[in-house]
């Protein structure tokens, strides 16, 4: 079983009323005390923050998310309001935003749907239905097409085998089927890749990838790159990388969100808010290993102000 540890942990002396009072005071009157907001929101677990949201409304008759939305601006606001949602609600709002209006943010769909566990996918489906009164699957069907649509529909079933047992005969069979569906033939049988990569367990797929390499001399990623293109290629590669090493995959997403000119802030905050309580310790280690620089230094050099402060607090970096 992979070791997972978040950088945000439950606060030991948690008091929802005191925290609600601190947040209210920080937003009352002229100006906003962002440091006070950050000190609470970035240092409480998700369940504690949800309790603060409920307590805030009980004490003051106001909705905390609405208050934060009207008091704050830009990416700092997105982080603070995102932290006040449950993880599946946060994922649901990201996906809705990704498919709303003209154009689709396929990168956001891929990043969420290709990396979540069955349990997380089921919770996401429920959140989406409750928040938007529509089935996530139907919205994806309406908004995407071709093999990419089929991949997303398969993923939102949340029906991956989660056993840890490996049957060597099945491993060899899947490795040969992937070879036969891609490298071996003219054209590609995408549905075979879809069936194997979406349905099989992580443990089984790791063994399949190793068998594939030893029989074909190629990494499965290289085969996908040469056989597919566009969003389908990105989706399949994300599944493969998530299977091989999920923290390393998210370290790469973070690196790419900040490298070069301009920062893809939405992507940066999305990963940090959604992973800070799951495996951010491992993501930081992967980032240091893969890019020879700490994630904290990278964020510090690329962001500023309250946005920078809250991101650093969420990844457990000292100011």
């Amino acid at each position: 079983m992979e070791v997972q540890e978040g950088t945000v942990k439950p606060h030991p002396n948690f008091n929802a009323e005191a925290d609600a009072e601190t947040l209210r005071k920080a937003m009352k009157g002229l100006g906003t005390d962002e440091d006070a907001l950050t000190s609470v929101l970035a240092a409480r677990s998700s369940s504690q923050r949800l309790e603060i949201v409920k307590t805030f409304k009980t004490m003051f008759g106001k909705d905390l998310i609405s208050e934060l939305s009207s008091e704050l601006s830009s990416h700092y606001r997105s982080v603070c309001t995102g932290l006040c949602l449950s993880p599946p609600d946060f994922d649901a709002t990201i996906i809705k935003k990704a498919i709303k209006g003209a154009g689709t943010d396929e990168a956001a769909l891929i990043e969420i749907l290709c990396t979540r566990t069955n349990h997380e996918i089921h919770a996401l489906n429920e959140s989406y239905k409750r928040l938007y009164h529509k089935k996530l699957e139907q919205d994806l069907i309406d908004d995407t097409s071709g093999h990419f649509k089929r991949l997303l529909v398969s993923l939102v079933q949340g029906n991956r085998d989660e056993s840890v047992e490996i049957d060597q005969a099945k491993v060899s069979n899947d490795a040969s089927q992937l070879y036969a569906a891609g490298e071996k033939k003219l054209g590609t049988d995408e549905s075979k890749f879809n069936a194997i990569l979406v349905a099989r367990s992580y443990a089984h797929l790791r063994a399949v990838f190793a068998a594939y390499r030893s029989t074909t001399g190629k990494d499965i990623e290289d085969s996908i790159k040469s056989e597919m293109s566009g969003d389908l290629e990105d989706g399949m590669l994300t599944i493969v990388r998530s299977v091989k090493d999920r923290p390393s995959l998210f370290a790469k997403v973070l690196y790419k969100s900040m490298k070069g000119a301009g920062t893809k802030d939405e992507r940066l905050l999305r990963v940090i808010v959604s992973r800070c309580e799951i495996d951010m310790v491992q993501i930081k280690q992967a980032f240091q290993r893969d890019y020879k620089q700490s994630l904290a230094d990278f964020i510090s050099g690329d962001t500023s102000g309250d946005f920078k402060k809250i991101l650093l607090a969420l990844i457990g970096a000292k100011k």
Side-chain angles (χ1 to χ4, degrees):
M1 218 17 222
E2 55 189 327
V3 180
Q4 291 191 317
E5 189 188 340
T7 42
V8 171
K9 297 186 165 66
H11 194 277
N13 308 309
F14 176 60
N15 179 331
E17 290 195 0
D19 284 345
E21 190 64 67
T22 302
L23 296 177
R24 171 93 173 113
K25 227 180 259 170
M27 294 186 282
K28 216 173 152 189
L30 244 91
T32 308
D33 182 352
E34 284 88 355
D35 286 345
L37 296 179
T38 297
S39 72
V40 172
L41 295 174
R44 305 291 183 272
S45 68
S46 178
S47 56
Q48 289 176 338
R49 293 191 300 267
L50 293 177
E51 205 178 315
I52 294 169
V53 171
K54 213 157 63 179
T55 304
F56 191 92
K57 193 173 270 189
T58 306
M59 289 171 73
F60 309 115
K62 288 184 166 193
D63 181 69
L64 177 56
I65 294 179
S66 303
E67 291 293 291
L68 291 167
S69 293
S70 65
E71 288 288 327
L72 309 173
S73 62
S74 194
H75 301 303
Y76 179 66
R77 172 172 65 191
S78 302
V79 177
C80 290
T81 55
L83 288 169
C84 292
L85 297 169
S86 68
D89 280 11
F90 181 69
D91 278 354
T93 59
I94 297 288
I95 286 186
K96 185 66 175 174
K97 197 172 167 191
I99 57 184
K100 211 168 85 180
T104 305
D105 179 358
E106 289 87 0
L109 299 181
I110 289 167
E111 183 195 301
I112 291 174
L113 298 176
C114 295
T115 63
R116 301 301 191 250
T117 62
N118 288 348
H119 176 74
E120 288 166 338
I121 292 283
H122 297 156
L124 164 60
N125 279 319
E126 283 169 28
S127 286
Y128 197 91
K129 186 96 197 307
R130 190 187 75 253
L131 293 169
Y132 305 114
H133 313 293
K134 277 187 86 177
K135 277 182 76 175
L136 170 57
E137 181 183 321
Q138 193 53 53
D139 271 358
L140 291 170
I141 289 170
D142 294 343
D143 211 72
T144 56
S145 61
H147 288 288
F148 181 57
K149 172 176 76 176
R150 287 161 66 173
L151 176 65
L152 298 183
V153 169
S154 300
L155 288 164
V156 294
Q157 305 316 305
N159 200 24
R160 183 182 293 284
D161 174 16
E162 290 189 333
S163 66
V164 287
E165 284 77 42
I166 295 171
D167 177 332
Q168 217 43 62
K170 284 182 182 162
V171 166
S172 305
N173 185 44
D174 277 354
S176 345
Q177 294 227 34
L178 288 174
Y179 179 60
E183 293 284 343
K184 197 176 172 185
K185 71 196 287 271
L186 207 67
T188 310
D189 180 359
E190 291 90 352
S191 57
K192 182 53 69 182
F193 275 82
N194 194 98
I196 292 172
L197 293 183
V198 174
R200 307 289 193 263
S201 73
Y202 271 32
H204 173 86
L205 286 173
R206 284 186 196 113
V208 170
F209 300 159
Y212 187 90
R213 181 187 267 284
S214 67
T215 54
T216 67
K218 278 189 91 164
D219 189 286
I220 188 73
E221 288 190 40
D222 295 325
S223 294
I224 289 170
K225 284 175 191 167
S226 61
E227 294 293 322
M228 298 174 200
S229 62
D231 300 321
L232 181 68
E233 178 193 343
D234 292 343
M236 294 282 186
L237 285 175
T238 299
I239 295 173
V240 169
R241 289 166 183 163
S242 183
V243 168
K244 286 181 177 177
D245 184 344
R246 198 184 277 139
S248 186
L249 164 69
F250 281 115
K252 188 182 189 126
V253 173
L254 288 169
Y255 182 72
K256 285 172 102 170
S257 78
M258 294 181 280
K259 189 176 176 282
T263 301
K264 299 177 185 73
D265 294 310
E266 289 292 327
R267 204 159 194 199
L268 171 62
L269 72 86
R270 189 166 74 215
V271 174
I272 289 178
V273 170
S274 62
R275 305 312 294 184
C276 63
E277 277 177 78
I278 300 175
D279 51 3
M280 189 51 74
V281 169
Q282 285 71 33
I283 291 170
K284 281 164 67 179
Q285 289 164 351
F287 195 95
Q288 180 73 53
R289 181 195 69 221
D290 297 344
Y291 305 108
K292 311 290 177 272
Q293 189 179 1
S294 77
L295 177 58
D297 285 348
F298 215 64
I299 289 171
S300 293
D302 229 82
T303 57
S304 61
D306 296 306
F307 181 49
K308 173 170 91 171
K309 284 184 192 170
I310 199 163
L311 294 180
L312 290 175
L314 289 168
I315 64 161
K318 301 287 170 269
K319 295 261 188 332

